[in-house]
Amino acid sequence: MQDIDTLTDPPVKRRRKYTSPAMTERRQRVVDCAHRILGEGGVPSLTIERLSREAEVAPRTIYRMFGDKEGVIFATVSDRLQEVRAHVAQRRSDYSIDVVFAELDWMVSEMRRDAEYARVVIGFYFSMEPRDNAIKELRSVAYNRFRNWLDREIVAGQTEQRFDLERIAQEFVSKEFLVYHRWALGKLDDDQCRIELHSNFLKTAVLVLTGAARETCVEMLAAKQRELGFSDIGSRASTNRPARDAGDDFVGKA
């Protein structure tokens, strides 16, 4: 099934692949330089003129390699995600929940290691300026992780048959990026981000699993919520509907 969020995406423009050592080195120099510039000042700071000057590669060569500025931006995302996929693939893991959690924790540590660039790239997902191909790359790792776990549970006969599980997998990825976005905005520190990513995964697992596997995830989710800290209202009914209906109060205040 095709990604439901990107059914009308234009195809990726394929640039000519350079295999000579000199051109490969120039390409890498441009991508590395663009990565640094994006981390320093975001997309507005990246121009072909500045990139040419700081990477010491002629503008015509940059255009020939990448097409335009957006092609350079996509290359930084694509190359970074290739590194991530290669790292994940080396583990050849059977995707138990513990493996999923370990991979999510590693993703947070990688975001922290390159925090400024990570914030810029996470922002692509929520921007009004379309970067569909970059977003496909960003979605791919989260989707593949969830799908690997889900396929394992389907084979084990532990999933709901009444749902479109592929649609749920696609929707799950968007929810994972909402957690990343909160981290990028400084609303979560690294530890909170890890726990929220775990909780987000478990909430979807509770939806799609059945039987004992589901009950295990319910208990794990309750434990994660205790780590995050319960709200004052918790699971009680709220008692301030008039204030909420008037838009005066967002919290339920039992």
Side-chain angles (χ1 to χ4, degrees):
M1 179 177 176
Q2 194 175 5
D3 184 336
I4 60 173
D5 286 347
T6 53
L7 290 174
T8 60
D9 282 353
V12 178
K13 294 180 180 179
R14 301 295 178 187
R15 308 303 305 172
R16 175 182 172 186
K17 291 186 177 180
Y18 293 93
T19 57
S20 73
M23 291 301 288
T24 299
E25 188 275 334
R26 285 181 196 170
R27 181 193 182 281
Q28 192 60 53
R29 205 188 320 155
V30 170
V31 171
D32 290 346
C33 186
H35 186 119
R36 174 179 57 78
I37 293 171
L38 287 168
E40 290 174 354
V43 173
S45 67
L46 181 65
T47 65
I48 297 297
E49 179 184 5
R50 178 179 177 183
L51 190 57
S52 171
R53 182 174 66 253
E54 297 187 15
E56 298 182 337
V57 176
R60 64 179 179 277
T61 302
I62 295 174
Y63 283 116
R64 191 161 64 241
M65 287 179 170
F66 302 99
D68 54 19
K69 171 178 166 175
E70 287 299 320
V72 175
I73 292 171
F74 175 73
T76 70
V77 175
S78 179
D79 283 20
R80 182 67 187 104
L81 269 293
Q82 285 180 23
E83 293 174 7
V84 171
R85 282 192 288 268
H87 174 86
V88 170
Q90 285 177 356
R91 300 181 178 188
R92 300 183 180 277
S93 299
D94 179 35
Y95 272 77
S96 66
I97 288 179
D98 286 344
V99 168
V100 169
F101 285 177
E103 192 171 304
L104 288 170
D105 292 349
W106 180 79
M107 291 294 295
V108 174
S109 68
E110 286 295 287
M111 291 192 307
R112 171 53 56 198
R113 184 178 63 82
D114 195 8
E116 297 308 316
Y117 176 76
R119 290 188 177 96
V120 171
V121 171
I122 290 166
F124 293 167
Y125 198 89
F126 299 92
S127 173
M128 294 297 290
E129 187 173 354
R131 289 191 172 89
D132 292 341
N133 294 321
I135 290 172
K136 282 182 179 179
E137 286 287 314
L138 291 170
R139 289 177 62 88
S140 65
V141 172
Y143 170 80
N144 200 45
R145 181 193 315 114
F146 186 83
R147 191 72 230 195
N148 286 343
W149 169 82
L150 183 59
D151 288 347
R152 180 181 188 267
E153 300 304 320
I154 291 171
V155 170
Q158 299 183 139
T159 53
E160 273 282 359
Q161 299 300 305
R162 293 171 292 177
F163 299 149
D164 183 339
L165 297 183
E166 171 61 13
R167 181 174 293 275
I168 288 173
Q170 297 284 353
E171 292 169 349
F172 165 81
V173 175
S174 295
K175 294 174 184 176
E176 182 167 314
F177 270 88
L178 287 173
V179 179
Y180 293 142
H181 193 230
R182 281 165 49 75
W183 173 88
L185 293 175
K187 303 294 186 182
L188 303 173
D189 63 26
D190 294 358
D191 287 338
Q192 291 169 328
C193 185
R194 291 185 183 98
I195 299 169
E196 284 211 8
L197 287 169
H198 295 185
S199 297
N200 178 59
F201 175 85
L202 288 167
K203 281 183 275 189
T204 306
V206 165
L207 175 65
V208 303
L209 292 176
T210 60
R214 179 181 185 277
E215 289 306 310
T216 297
C217 285
V218 169
E219 292 301 320
M220 293 177 72
L221 177 58
K224 293 294 179 182
Q225 289 203 336
R226 285 193 294 272
E227 284 188 72
L228 288 169
F230 273 26
S231 63
D232 291 337
I233 187 172
S235 59
R236 292 169 293 160
S238 61
T239 55
N240 61 334
R241 177 171 176 176
R244 288 185 286 111
D245 287 349
D248 298 332
D249 201 344
F250 178 71
V251 180
K253 289 188 179 178

